[in-house]
Amino acid sequence: MSVTQTEFFPALRLDNHHIALQEGEHTWRYSSVHQRIDQFASGLLGNSKDLEEERIAFFMPASLDYVTTLLGVWRAGGIAVPLNIAAAIPELEHALSCAGVTRLVVSGDVDDPSLVLLNALCKSLNVQVISVSSLLALQILPMPVLTPERRAMILFTSGTTNKPKGVVSTHKNIRAQITTLLKAWEWQEEDSIPLFLPLHHIHGIINVLCCGLWMGARVSLFAKFDMETILEEVIQDHYTVFMAVPTIYVKIIQHLETLDADKREAICNGFRKMRLNISGSAACPVKLYQQWQQLTGQTLLERYGMTEIGMGISNPYNGERRAGAVGIPLPGVDAALFDDAGNVIDAEDTPGEIRIRGNNVFLEYWNNPKATEESFKDGWFCTGDVAIRESGYFRIMGRSSVDIIKSGGYKLSALEIEGTLLTHEKISECAVIGVEDDTWGEAVTAFVVLKPGQLLSYGELKSWCESRMSPYKIPKTLRVMESLPRNAMGKVMKPELKKL
Ligand code: MLC
Ligand code: AMP
């Protein structure tokens, strides 16, 4: 079996004149987006017939250019590597070199002053920087026919290791991740959805952008979470579906509290008229679920996913959406709980690790067979998340590792942040943990021991971090300690730090 263009994103056709994308005042129809993707893919192909899994990175916010690049790389047989536009240079260096990227696509002028550091980095790594417009070929070439097993995308995910790993998804995985959601959440061609999530993660890429475009719906693009503009459009009934991380619902509620009653009601009414509001990427507190229901009448649909699997478990579209639970396995996804001995747990109310099987599950960590092997047991992908089942519904209880932090929906590695902080000339020891927080879910907190005679303020640490890590990884709090609590083996006892 092979993938042809008409089977992959069937709404992208020359005879489909529905609006696909909106960016500010501009709209683009499926027909013209389709044509532009073909032009771009042809430019990428140049003299070759197939990119043969060449890794093509791109560095741009949600935009027509982003969509053109993602879909264009797929059509031409390359592997798409979307980069974090908020990343610091050392993080970009890791992504580009780890994935063996050969070309990096930017939106606009390659000589734009904002790209000076990135250009220098690419030069040092021998990566060619090119703009989307320079690749829009006049003559459209035949596209390669791809088998479903072909690698399609690498997304970077933090874990219990120092550096993020590249998660490789194939065309088969991406199709499975999209089509299960189209069915489960009853996507319709008439749907209209705002896309304001970062586009280097699965939530924004698959759940919003790819589902919307596969279905033939309208996707409104925002370079960032521009709350005021988005809420104005909510008032004007622009959207039928809204998907966000819990922090965004918290921020909207906080904002509503600052508004007069009429404005607040207009916004709540806009949400009330939608057909679906979804929360995911981090636990949705029961209090938030209830507040949202009281304000908007919407019963949030909470679902559970991961970069390696797309979405795995979801509350039902029709049927009970239970507060604090993530629901039941999605169509085509096998999900089970396992005990420490590796046995399936059939009993209810017994905690175990969530393991997942199905066409949605990624192929491998790029260039890292050891990590790939360690993450699978007997064909199941081991998520590291612990849950129980209560009358059929999964309820997440936590994670097996304290070194993974979820802040505003971003998964962060405590070890990665510690590794960077330890390069600070004043820091001799450090430990990073996530502390429960009403807005962020967990807030990054750093405990440090300084070298003798040194002083370090929070402001100094924060500005030092700015060129070294993405803004959302920067600790929100700094605690300077005489020493860190360690066990007999010398390992820092993070639960003790949490108590502080
Ligand atoms: C922003 N800041 C954060 C942060 N986001 N701090 C901690 N955690 C975060 N997530 C900080 C900035 O550094 C800045 O700090 C201040 O908040 C304001 O920044 P901002 O950019 O204006 O914030 P805002 O636009 O409000 O961003 C918040 C947000 C964003 C929630 C919109 O974090 C976001 O888009 N999160 C979604 C991430 C996501 O898509 N995750 C899905 C991963 S896939 P200062 O100090 O400079 O003021 C996955 C699988 C699945 O998890 O199941 O979906
Ligand atoms: P990421 O690696 O960024 O894709 O993040 C995946 C992780 O997010 C999962 O392993 C979970 O820990 C967490 N996650 C996603 N959705 C939920 C949810 N609804 N409730 C709790 N945790 C979630």
Side-chain angles (χ1 to χ4, degrees):
M1 201 179 71
S2 57
V3 182
T4 61
Q5 284 194 41
T6 45
E7 292 162 344
F8 207 57
F9 290 89
L12 281 163
R13 301 186 312 268
L14 285 179
D15 64 349
N16 184 352
H17 302 299
H18 283 183
I19 290 177
L21 300 172
Q22 169 147 19
E23 202 182 326
E25 299 292 298
H26 301 280
T27 53
W28 291 276
R29 295 180 192 280
Y30 275 89
S31 46
S32 59
V33 175
H34 171 71
Q35 173 83 5
R36 198 169 191 263
I37 294 168
D38 264 353
Q39 285 182 281
F40 177 82
S42 302
L44 273 181
L45 282 170
N47 293 326
S48 61
K49 290 194 164 52
D50 184 334
L51 293 184
E52 306 276 7
E53 301 192 348
E54 177 186 350
R55 272 80 65 210
I56 312 264
F58 39 109
F59 186 82
M60 55 186 93
S63 55
L64 173 66
D65 276 353
Y66 180 102
V67 174
T68 306
T69 308
L70 175 71
L71 274 293
V73 172
W74 284 345
R75 276 190 192 171
I79 301 182
V81 187
L83 298 174
N84 173 9
I85 54 168
I89 290 294
E91 294 168 327
L92 294 172
E93 179 173 9
H94 169 69
L96 293 172
S97 49
C98 171
V101 167
T102 41
R103 289 190 271 178
L104 181 143
V105 186
V106 295
S107 187
D109 187 356
V110 293
D111 294 320
D112 191 277
S114 65
L115 298 176
V116 168
L117 292 178
L118 184 61
N119 272 314
L121 172 67
C122 287
K123 199 168 170 208
S124 72
L125 296 173
N126 213 7
V127 173
Q128 186 194 1
V129 182
I130 25 175
S131 68
V132 175
S133 55
S134 71
L135 286 169
L136 295 173
L138 293 177
Q139 198 196 345
I140 291 173
L141 303 174
M143 294 298 144
V145 175
L146 309 174
T147 62
E149 281 70 34
R150 278 280 289 264
R151 294 172 180 83
M153 182 158 70
I154 298 179
L155 296 179
F156 282 87
T157 189
S158 298
T160 47
T161 48
N162 196 315
K163 295 275 185 201
K165 292 176 291 204
V167 174
V168 180
S169 306
T170 62
H171 285 269
K172 178 177 80 182
N173 302 147
I174 288 171
R175 165 196 293 265
Q177 291 174 4
I178 296 169
T179 51
T180 189
L181 297 185
L182 298 186
K183 189 167 164 192
W185 298 343
E186 299 190 9
W187 272 89
Q188 300 154 17
E189 213 177 41
E190 295 71 35
D191 276 328
S192 170
I193 187 166
L195 169 53
F196 41 74
L197 293 168
L199 280 184
H200 61 290
H201 279 309
I202 204 129
H203 192 164
I205 298 173
I206 298 290
N207 298 21
V208 184
L209 183 62
C210 290
C211 281
L213 292 181
W214 192 294
M215 193 63 225
R218 176 198 287 233
V219 182
S220 293
L221 305 168
F222 294 87
K224 68 185 296 279
F225 176 56
D226 176 359
M227 178 152 53
E228 302 216 352
T229 310
I230 294 162
L231 293 182
E232 279 308 318
E233 301 210 330
V234 167
I235 294 175
Q236 290 160 26
D237 299 336
H238 236 76
Y239 309 121
T240 60
V241 182
F242 196 85
M243 291 190 199
V245 298
T247 299
I248 288 181
Y249 290 105
V250 172
K251 284 182 174 248
I252 294 174
I253 292 173
Q254 287 167 350
H255 178 72
L256 290 175
E257 283 160 6
T258 67
L259 302 175
D260 64 53
D262 286 352
K263 184 84 182 195
R264 193 164 55 230
E265 191 42 35
I267 294 170
C268 291
N269 218 17
F271 281 105
R272 192 168 295 120
K273 289 193 224 154
M274 293 184 196
R275 75 169 183 87
L276 182 60
N277 287 182
I278 298 184
S279 172
S281 300
C284 175
V286 173
K287 184 175 150 214
L288 177 60
Y289 169 101
Q290 289 168 340
Q291 276 179 311
W292 195 252
Q293 199 166 41
Q294 273 155 16
L295 283 165
T296 65
Q298 285 283 350
T299 305
L300 282 174
L301 183 155
E302 184 174 5
R303 91 306 178 277
Y304 161 85
M306 200 171 178
T307 307
E308 287 89 335
I309 64 161
M311 298 302 110
I313 305 175
S314 170
N315 273 283
Y317 182 66
N318 298 303
E320 184 199 359
R321 297 182 197 164
R322 200 179 293 169
V326 292
I328 53 176
L330 280 159
V333 178
D334 275 348
L337 298 180
F338 284 77
D339 65 19
D340 290 342
N343 301 312
V344 176
I345 300 172
D346 287 322
E348 294 244 316
D349 302 314
T350 310
E353 184 189 29
I354 305 178
R355 296 189 186 168
I356 302 279
R357 250 181 355 194
N359 286 342
N360 57 307
V361 176
F362 78 126
L363 178 70
E364 62 188 358
Y365 294 111
W366 179 259
N367 227 348
N368 196 341
K370 185 167 173 279
T372 307
E373 199 192 320
E374 284 169 1
S375 69
F376 284 91
K377 288 212 174 75
D378 302 325
W380 293 85
F381 171 67
C382 307
T383 64
D385 291 306
V386 176
I388 56 169
R389 236 184 350 248
E390 286 174 340
S391 44
Y393 279 45
F394 285 74
R395 184 184 294 277
I396 312 273
M397 307 302 286
R399 279 181 297 270
S400 50
S401 169
V402 285
D403 289 323
I404 291 175
I405 301 170
K406 264 271 159 166
S407 172
Y410 284 113
K411 183 176 177 186
L412 311 178
S413 159
L415 301 184
E416 184 192 356
I417 301 172
E418 288 165 8
T420 304
L421 295 183
L422 282 171
T423 65
H424 192 289
E425 57 181 14
K426 293 185 180 177
I427 295 177
S428 72
E429 293 173 50
C430 84
V432 166
I433 59 168
V435 172
E436 218 171 291
D437 184 273
D438 284 346
T439 301
W440 300 112
E442 289 179 300
V444 176
T445 303
F447 293 81
V448 303
V449 177
L450 298 178
K451 290 181 183 162
Q454 299 291 349
L455 291 173
L456 180 64
S457 69
Y458 175 68
E460 187 183 346
L461 180 73
K462 185 167 186 260
S463 51
W464 180 87
C465 286
E466 273 158 11
S467 58
R468 293 171 172 87
M469 58 180 83
S470 304
Y472 50 80
K473 295 181 186 170
I474 298 176
K476 298 264 181 253
T477 313
L478 169 69
R479 291 280 296 267
V480 177
M481 312 275 286
E482 289 287 313
S483 63
L484 297 176
R486 291 184 186 273
N487 64 16
M489 311 289 288
K491 198 169 168 338
V492 176
M493 294 186 291
K494 291 197 171 178
E496 293 300 309
L497 293 175
K498 285 212 174 196
K499 286 186 204 152
L500 293 178

